[in-house]
Amino acid sequence: MQAYLYSLLLVLITLQTAFAEEQNIQTDIQPKEDLSPGQPNNINNSVREEGIKHDLKYNGCNGFIRGGYIQAHTKTVSNQQAYGLGGELGCGVSWGPYFQLHASAFTAINPGFNSANKDEIQGDFFDENKNSYITLGEAVMTLSYADLQAHLGPQRFNSPHMDQDDLRLLPNIFEAYLLDYHLNDEIYLGSGFIRTAKGWENNGNAADFIDIGEAFGGTGAQSWIAWGKYQQGYINASAWYYYIKDVQQIFFVDVTYQNSFNDYIFYDLGVQFDMGRSVGAQSIGEVGANTLGIYATISSYGMSFTTAYNKNFGQSAAVNSVGGGPFFTSMEQMTMDAVNAKNAQALLFNLEYQPYFIESMNIGVAAGDFQGGNAADFHTQEFNTYLSYQYNQMITVDIMYAYIKDLQADLVTDQLRVILGFQF
């Protein structure tokens, strides 16, 4: 497998070099909506916390086509793999500056040459029965007046504890009714109501909307959200509040600082705090978590090194999410809320390279250690290596290999994910 992977990477890098040379000749390409998959979920990715960002195409149609392969193997326990095709076709219309409408359809296709034994099919690409499906994607209406906007209907949405987590064939979608307001160039406010979620991480059938409370592992279809963001100079800060009826309430805040020592050496620093408490019927059990996090990145000449640390205090495990979650130490498989133990901690190291001769390409490795308050209760280590590339917002390549070792059960799992995409 390693020889095959290295050969594939060599071929891709050769092709990407040719693409990059061609790109230098093309200077008049018009920008378009970016529907490419999300970045590898290894290090803190601020894009996943940007909130409302609807750069949809409201005059005409666009979409994407993706092909993917995923394999998850646990020695002596299971071996699952799957090939899949997916895509989105969306069209939009607008009437003046005040009203816009965008609707799209999603499809995920089991191409027919996966195993006839469904127990051997990795199910992240398909519906709950591991079959093909076609479903509503977005159907969002945008109403605008001055600096005020309303986004109503099923839509992509990125926030710390609810995000599209676009790491498979299709992203998560939320039925949401949101209002956001740009107070000025530095301050951005918003609030709204989220009822249901659909996607590969909705804790149910990826093909259908399920209640937002159920997506979090409990019950109920009522969730309120409010947020504020501040950006000025080198500082970015955000605060988020979620009230998920009969499940939990969550408060999250983070602050990041970006600067440079000189023209060649740059650095990022970040801190975060995440708090969760049970509410109402407590349909997922007691939630009483306080999680702190810090990270630091230093980069120069396309090379960057990141280290991050999260520590949870309280009466429960860290707060869960629908999507990748907000924690600085999140990896391909392991996240802080996956540590089913109190007083958990996680440590991550990440090394990434962006070749100057191939624009929009990232190659990286990451290692993480996840422990409960007592290592005998929970102790898992993960190693990731990945490549992501985007050519002219048209062709995307995402390759991720994850090696996960459960030190308690002495089990090793490895996963390979390859997603190729074409946006039109």
Side-chain angles (χ1 to χ4, degrees):
M1 175 61 74
Q2 288 182 342
Y4 171 77
L5 183 59
Y6 293 150
S7 299
L8 178 61
L9 293 178
L10 180 61
V11 171
L12 290 172
I13 291 172
T14 303
L15 290 174
Q16 291 153 5
T17 303
F19 286 149
E21 292 174 351
E22 180 183 347
Q23 185 179 24
N24 290 333
I25 301 174
Q26 299 175 355
T27 58
D28 297 324
I29 299 173
Q30 295 299 314
K32 59 183 178 181
E33 179 194 358
D34 187 2
L35 295 174
S36 61
Q39 292 296 315
N41 193 20
N42 291 76
I43 59 175
N44 176 56
N45 184 355
S46 61
V47 173
R48 294 188 297 124
E49 300 177 8
E50 65 191 4
I52 301 290
K53 184 184 178 184
H54 284 287
D55 53 350
L56 300 173
K57 189 168 184 178
Y58 287 108
N59 291 287
C61 300
N62 65 345
F64 64 80
I65 298 171
R66 292 179 191 163
Y69 171 76
I70 188 167
Q71 180 186 56
H73 174 249
T74 302
K75 187 176 181 180
T76 74
V77 178
S78 66
N79 185 23
Q80 295 182 321
Q81 65 177 359
Y83 296 88
L85 299 172
E88 176 185 19
L89 176 62
C91 296
V93 294
S94 63
W95 289 273
Y98 306 112
F99 179 86
Q100 297 169 316
L101 180 66
H102 179 91
S104 66
F106 284 167
T107 186
I109 300 172
N110 186 332
F113 46 79
N114 289 311
S115 174
N117 182 354
K118 290 193 175 182
D119 291 337
E120 297 178 354
I121 299 177
Q122 214 281 356
D124 286 355
F125 289 166
F126 311 118
D127 67 11
E128 61 181 346
N129 297 314
K130 300 182 179 179
N131 293 325
S132 307
Y133 66 89
I134 185 168
T135 185
L136 174 71
E138 293 188 295
V140 57
M141 178 172 62
T142 300
L143 306 176
S144 305
Y145 181 77
D147 294 321
L148 191 68
Q149 282 194 331
H151 305 273
L152 313 175
Q155 58 191 276
R156 289 173 172 87
F157 177 65
N158 285 321
S159 75
H161 284 280
M162 300 182 192
D163 68 81
Q164 59 179 299
D165 204 24
D166 194 6
L167 300 177
R168 297 296 188 266
L169 294 179
L170 301 170
N172 295 327
I173 295 290
F174 299 88
E175 182 193 348
Y177 306 89
L178 305 171
L179 187 68
D180 61 273
Y181 179 63
H182 288 78
L183 184 63
N184 51 45
D185 291 340
E186 292 81 31
I187 300 175
Y188 174 36
L189 306 173
S191 64
F193 177 79
I194 298 175
R195 197 177 74 86
T196 60
K198 173 167 56 179
W200 74 279
E201 282 200 304
N202 71 350
N203 202 39
N205 184 3
D208 294 326
F209 284 103
I210 68 171
D211 293 345
I212 191 65
E214 184 180 349
F216 273 90
T219 60
Q222 299 180 49
S223 174
W224 291 266
I225 183 172
W227 69 90
K229 292 177 66 68
Y230 173 81
Q231 178 178 356
Q232 186 175 43
Y234 304 114
I235 297 176
N236 286 272
S238 68
W240 302 76
Y241 175 75
Y242 307 79
Y243 184 91
I244 308 164
K245 185 179 180 182
D246 293 331
V247 179
Q248 61 191 340
Q249 58 181 333
I250 307 168
F251 174 72
F252 174 86
V253 60
D254 72 345
V255 180
T256 62
Y257 179 81
Q258 298 177 314
N259 207 336
S260 63
F261 294 112
N262 51 45
D263 292 339
Y264 309 102
I265 303 175
F266 307 87
Y267 65 92
D268 297 3
L269 302 172
V271 296
Q272 63 182 188
F273 174 70
D274 191 61
M275 180 178 71
R277 294 293 184 269
S278 302
V279 294
Q282 302 184 79
S283 57
I284 63 170
E286 181 183 4
V287 178
N290 305 293
T291 304
L292 293 170
I294 58 173
Y295 88 94
T297 297
I298 187 166
S299 57
S300 181
Y301 294 103
M303 187 73 72
S304 64
F305 174 75
T306 296
T307 183
Y309 178 76
N310 281 113
K311 175 65 177 177
N312 178 41
F313 307 88
Q315 301 304 311
S316 72
V319 179
N320 60 346
S321 301
V322 179
F327 301 114
F328 292 149
T329 52
S330 292
M331 300 189 73
E332 172 72 4
Q333 287 293 103
M334 285 301 304
T335 59
M336 272 294 291
D337 57 290
V339 181
N340 188 23
K342 299 179 183 178
N343 301 317
Q345 62 181 3
L347 179 65
L348 176 136
F349 298 99
N350 176 252
L351 182 65
E352 183 171 286
Y353 178 53
Q354 295 179 301
Y356 71 92
F357 52 87
I358 305 178
E359 187 177 354
S360 301
M361 182 177 184
N362 299 288
I363 304 171
V365 294
D369 185 87
F370 298 79
Q371 296 185 31
N374 184 343
D377 296 331
F378 190 102
H379 192 187
T380 295
Q381 295 174 337
E382 179 171 348
F383 174 80
N384 293 168
T385 180
Y386 62 89
L387 178 151
S388 67
Y389 175 72
Q390 182 179 133
Y391 170 68
N392 191 32
Q393 289 190 352
M394 181 183 299
I395 297 172
T396 59
V397 178
D398 284 275
I399 302 172
M400 168 70 74
Y401 174 76
Y403 176 92
I404 305 103
K405 185 172 184 179
D406 184 338
L407 298 178
Q408 281 183 295
D410 194 25
L411 282 178
V412 172
T413 300
D414 58 357
Q415 176 184 291
L416 174 64
R417 169 172 60 88
V418 180
I419 306 291
L420 308 177
F422 175 76
Q423 180 178 323
F424 57 90

